[in-house]
């Protein structure tokens, strides 16, 4: 169906342009509400509380993973997935439960999550995949990049993103993610002594990996799932080629 308006026998081309604006999206998503709850932030909002929640939550996962044996980490993740994801699914189908969840966690939830799984469900599942499949040093680095690179890329993209590359991803946001992931990689390699003979190249390539993990779209999957999986896969290849497993 055409989105053009026929006014006085003439097609109005302004509606498609309006539909691409943040203002239109803000009006559209107000329909995603549950009676008795407050309006939630949108994806293109800065949403500082969610960014802080993300950083702290992922860093907590990193700390636990490095403090306990891998089997314990996997057991904790399985328990968290077994409890939280069914509740998250049930919330999307039961308005009364959804109302409670939205009122409790409205500061860190997005409007798009009102009737869909929250980002935490995807984060738990993505973390389980990489903890199960990849060595500890790769898991740690991938999660550290997820903790700070993902929110940095989003904030830079929201504030300065003008050149779109994939969907709502911008060149400016991607470069911000590259810079922060490179810094994280440099600190990690220096503190662990990994790949010291080629640390500059390894650092830059790791920054590129973080950037790619952020911008590459995989269907409609949440980046809390895709980022750690993509980053860990590419980091494994980097470590294999550059002797990072020694």
């Amino acid at each position: 169906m055409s989105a053009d308006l026929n006014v006085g026998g003439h097609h109005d081309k302004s509606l498609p342009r309006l539909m691409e604006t943040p203002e239109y999206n803000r009006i559209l998503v107000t329909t995603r509400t549950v009676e008795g709850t407050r309006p939630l932030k949108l994806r293109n909002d800065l949403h500082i509380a969610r960014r802080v929640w993300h950083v702290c939550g992922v860093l907590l996962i990193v700390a636990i993973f490095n403090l306990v044996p891998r089997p314990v980490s996997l057991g904790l993740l399985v328990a968290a997935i077994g409890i939280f994801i069914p509740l998250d699914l049930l919330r999307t189908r039961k308005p009364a439960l959804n109302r409670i969840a939205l009122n409790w966690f409205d500061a860190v939830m997005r409007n798009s999550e009102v009737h869909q799984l929250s980002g935490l469900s995807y984060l738990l599942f993505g973390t389980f995949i990489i903890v199960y499949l990849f060595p500890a040093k790769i898991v740690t680095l991938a999660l550290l990049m997820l903790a700070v690179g993902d929110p940095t890329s989003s904030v830079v993209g929201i504030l300065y993103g003008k050149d779109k590359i994939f969907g709502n991803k911008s060149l400016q946001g991607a470069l911000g993610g590259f810079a922060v992931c490179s810094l994280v990689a440099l600190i990690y390699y220096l503190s662990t002594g990994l790949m010291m003979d080629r640390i500059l190249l390894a650092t830059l390539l790791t920054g590129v990996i973080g950037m790619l993990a952020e911008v590459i779209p995989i269907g409609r999957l949440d980046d809390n799932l895709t980022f750690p999986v993509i980053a860990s896969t590419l980091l494994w290849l980097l470590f294999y080629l550059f002797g990072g497993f020694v």
Side-chain angles (χ1 to χ4, degrees), residues 48-64 108 120 123 143 146-148 151:
I48 299 301
R50 183 182 177 93
R51 312 298 176 191
V52 173
W53 168 267
H54 175 90
V55 172
C56 294
V58 178
L59 290 180
L60 177 62
I61 292 174
V62 172
I64 294 173
V108 296
L120 182 55
L123 174 61
L143 289 177
L146 174 64
V148 294

Side-chain angles (χ1 to χ4, degrees), residues 14 21-22 69 87 89 170:
S14 63
T21 63
L87 286 175
L89 282 169
S170 70

Side-chain angles (χ1 to χ4, degrees), residues 5-205:
L5 289 179
N6 192 314
V7 180
H10 300 283
H11 288 289
D12 184 352
K13 302 293 185 180
S14 63
L15 184 57
R17 292 193 296 271
L18 172 64
M19 293 172 66
E20 297 175 357
T21 63
E23 289 77 12
Y24 179 86
N25 290 330
R26 187 177 295 276
I27 294 170
L28 179 63
V29 296
T30 54
T31 60
R32 299 177 186 153
T33 58
V34 172
E35 184 179 353
T37 62
R38 293 177 288 274
L40 302 179
K41 298 287 187 180
L42 310 181
R43 179 174 290 275
N44 56 355
D45 288 325
L46 278 179
H47 205 170
I48 299 301
R50 183 182 177 93
R51 312 298 176 191
V52 173
W53 168 267
H54 175 90
V55 172
C56 294
V58 178
L59 290 180
L60 177 62
I61 292 174
V62 172
I64 294 173
F65 174 71
N66 282 276
L67 288 173
V68 302
R70 179 185 293 268
V72 175
S73 294
L74 287 170
L76 291 173
L77 284 167
V78 169
I81 289 170
I83 295 171
F84 183 80
I85 293 183
L87 286 175
D88 203 15
L89 282 169
L90 186 62
R91 167 189 67 81
T92 65
R93 290 162 172 75
K94 300 292 183 180
L97 183 59
N98 207 5
R99 187 178 303 113
I100 294 172
L102 295 175
N103 281 325
W104 282 6
F105 300 104
D106 61 329
V108 296
M109 291 187 69
R110 285 190 182 130
N111 194 286
S112 59
E113 295 171 327
V114 170
H115 300 300
Q116 299 177 15
L117 287 176
S118 68
L120 182 55
S121 289
Y122 291 100
L123 174 61
L124 290 173
F125 191 58
T127 302
F128 173 79
I129 291 174
I130 65 171
V131 170
Y132 183 78
L133 293 178
F134 295 98
K137 58 185 71 174
I138 288 179
V139 172
T140 299
L141 182 52
L143 289 177
L144 288 174
M145 292 197 298
L146 174 64
V148 294
D150 179 48
T152 298
S153 180
S154 296
V155 169
V156 172
I158 290 168
L159 292 177
Y160 307 108
K162 298 184 182 301
D163 305 303
K164 301 300 182 183
I165 49 178
F166 293 111
N168 64 340
K169 307 291 186 179
S170 70
L171 175 61
Q172 292 76 14
L175 292 176
F178 165 76
V180 171
C181 287
S182 296
L183 179 60
V184 169
L186 178 61
I187 295 172
Y188 183 73
Y189 293 145
L190 288 173
S191 63
T192 58
L194 288 172
M195 296 184 285
M196 296 299 293
D197 56 335
R198 57 191 79 187
I199 188 169
L200 178 58
L201 181 57
T203 294
L204 294 176
L205 288 176

Side-chain angles (χ1 to χ4, degrees), residues 219-241:
R220 295 181 176 272
L221 291 177
D222 190 280
D223 56 8
N224 285 301
L225 168 59
T226 60
F227 187 112
V229 174
I230 293 173
S232 296
T233 302
L234 296 178
L235 284 173
W236 186 92
L237 181 61
L238 177 69
F239 277 45
Y240 178 78
L241 294 175

